[in-house]
Amino acid sequence: MATQTLVTAIDGDGHIMENPKRLAELLEEPYREFRSTPMESSALVPLDGVDRNLGTRLFKGSARTTQEWLDALDRGPMAKSVLFPTLGLFSGFVKDPDYQAALCRAYNTWVAGDICEPSGGRLLAVGLLPTHHEDAAEAELRRAKSLGLAGVMFPADGVHLLGHKRFDGVYAAAAELDFPVTVHASGSSNAPGADVFPKFIQAHSVAHPFGIMRHFTSMMFEGVFDKFPTVKFAFLETGATWAPWWMDRLDEEYESRGAVDAPLVKNVPSSYVHAGGNIFFGCESNERMLPQVMDVIGADTVMYASDYPHWDCEYPESLHKIQTREDLSDAQRRALLHDTAARFYGIE
């Protein structure tokens, strides 16, 4: 089978390791003075208190600077990566609404100016949105667009469901600006649904998928995809093979209770996930049913995600696996490695 040229690949979900000292410098007062002393990374964002290292390295490689990420791209090779935060994945746990918003502003300023701008267009990034203040979230979405970022991210973990009408202003702004919105989980053992497990392996297995599925369900049944049909949404870091199964389950629920509990939803949930649509997913290279999933929901709805440099990523091996999988058609392979991410993020 012919293979896709690796150099054309676009990474739809990589990660940057934040520079806490630099973020502290970019914080607004009074937080800048409060955070100006040397600190560990966990001082910026509350982490979940579990040992993810277990005697091994927490990260597969270093991705703290523009050059380190460019070197990682060349190891693929990949043409571009769209970067998500690392510590910022946990920002949904920040309880102070004002500090959460200030932290998002500092991060977005840093990733746009310090990381993406010097990359020659090879590194893109999504802006981080606060979840407590919907007005602040809308304002930061607009600022992220002005900073030249590729989209925005809501953290999946925290107390707020993203289908609630309080976020309608954010989605309306995304529609106005043609700006993609992503939802990304942290894998925290404190995440809702994962917080009952005693071992990290149990919590980490559950945290990502449940964090994503609860927001997808909320947004579906609260009518977000009906109210904002032109906004592109992506649900990331829990693979893609859950999507058809979950659509079947939501369809069954809708047929029984939709008229009463989901009056804003005009069609069965599965009809919103289709080729050429505006709902997207990341994938894992070892998902056995990936070709069948793409046949069901559309090849152009699933994009490759490296997850680099996090400890559980397999990059660049994961890229090579997709490049050489014999069960993928050439069209599916090209969609996974390039076309879907280009369509979602508006990359020419």
Side-chain angles (χ1 to χ4, degrees):
M1 177 180 291
T3 58
Q4 182 70 26
T5 304
L6 284 172
V7 74
T8 64
I10 298 173
D11 176 13
D13 178 7
H15 291 273
I16 188 70
M17 296 157 60
E18 291 92 336
N19 181 334
K21 182 178 179 180
R22 179 61 176 145
L23 289 186
E25 294 171 350
L26 292 170
L27 282 171
E28 303 154 4
E29 296 294 1
Y31 307 108
R32 184 185 308 146
E33 182 178 358
F34 181 69
R35 299 290 188 182
S36 62
T37 56
M39 59 186 168
E40 297 295 328
S41 298
S42 58
L44 274 177
V45 182
L47 302 181
D48 52 0
V50 296
D51 181 10
R52 293 169 178 247
N53 285 329
L54 294 178
T56 62
R57 293 188 58 161
L58 184 58
F59 299 100
K60 278 202 68 175
S62 185
R64 298 181 183 276
T65 67
T66 300
Q67 188 57 54
E68 287 177 345
W69 241 110
L70 292 176
D71 292 343
L73 286 177
D74 291 341
R75 286 197 295 274
M78 294 190 295
K80 300 175 186 287
S81 181
V82 181
L83 303 181
F84 286 71
T86 294
L87 296 174
L89 298 176
F90 299 83
S91 62
F93 294 117
V94 176
K95 292 184 177 180
D96 183 336
D98 295 329
Y99 176 60
Q100 186 196 48
L103 178 63
C104 290
R105 288 191 290 269
Y107 171 81
N108 295 339
T109 298
W110 170 74
V111 78
D114 289 17
I115 302 300
C116 295
E117 187 174 336
S119 75
R122 295 189 70 191
L123 296 178
L124 310 172
V126 297
L128 186 58
L129 296 185
T131 54
H132 295 306
H133 281 321
E134 56 267 31
D135 291 344
E138 179 185 343
E140 198 55 23
L141 181 145
R142 294 182 180 277
R143 195 173 80 95
K145 177 77 171 183
S146 72
L147 289 171
L149 295 175
V152 288
M153 181 204 112
F154 272 122
D157 301 321
V159 299
H160 302 294
L161 288 172
L162 296 176
H164 195 282
K165 63 182 179 182
R166 65 198 294 269
F167 293 107
D168 280 3
V170 182
Y171 303 140
E176 174 193 336
L177 298 175
D178 189 23
F179 209 39
V181 177
T182 69
V183 184
H184 197 298
S186 69
S188 169
S189 63
N190 287 336
D195 51 357
V196 297
F197 292 102
K199 298 291 186 179
F200 179 69
I201 189 173
Q202 301 169 30
H204 195 255
S205 297
V206 170
H208 282 102
F210 184 68
I212 293 299
M213 292 163 73
R214 71 191 187 104
H215 288 299
F216 185 94
T217 302
S218 170
M219 296 167 77
M220 176 64 74
F221 284 143
E222 294 294 344
V224 170
F225 306 135
D226 284 278
K227 290 185 287 186
F228 306 100
T230 64
V231 177
K232 292 179 288 187
F233 293 97
F235 298 87
L236 300 173
E237 200 150 327
T238 191
T241 48
W242 65 276
W245 164 66
W246 201 241
M247 294 309 102
D248 287 346
R249 183 165 181 82
L250 297 191
D251 282 357
E252 183 179 0
E253 296 292 333
Y254 178 77
E255 290 167 0
S256 300
R257 298 279 304 185
V260 176
D261 291 339
L264 297 177
V265 181
K266 301 173 184 177
N267 302 291
V268 294
S270 61
S271 68
Y272 296 85
V273 181
H274 57 81
N278 285 332
I279 297 177
F280 296 74
F281 306 92
C283 77
E284 306 287 341
S285 63
N286 59 356
E287 293 184 81
R288 290 175 293 178
M289 299 296 291
L290 189 56
Q292 291 84 354
V293 168
M294 297 176 74
D295 285 340
V296 172
I297 66 175
D300 66 346
T301 65
V302 184
M303 65 181 110
Y304 169 71
S306 77
D307 195 37
Y308 183 81
H310 291 173
W311 62 274
D312 52 345
C313 83
E314 295 183 345
Y315 177 80
E317 292 83 1
S318 59
L319 180 64
H320 302 158
K321 285 180 181 179
I322 290 179
Q323 190 70 20
T324 57
R325 278 185 62 160
E326 295 183 355
D327 57 345
L328 291 169
S329 70
D330 288 340
Q332 289 173 328
R333 194 186 327 275
R334 179 171 178 80
L336 284 170
L337 292 178
H338 182 279
D339 292 355
T340 302
R343 184 168 81 90
F344 178 72
Y345 293 109
I347 299 171
E348 295 182 359

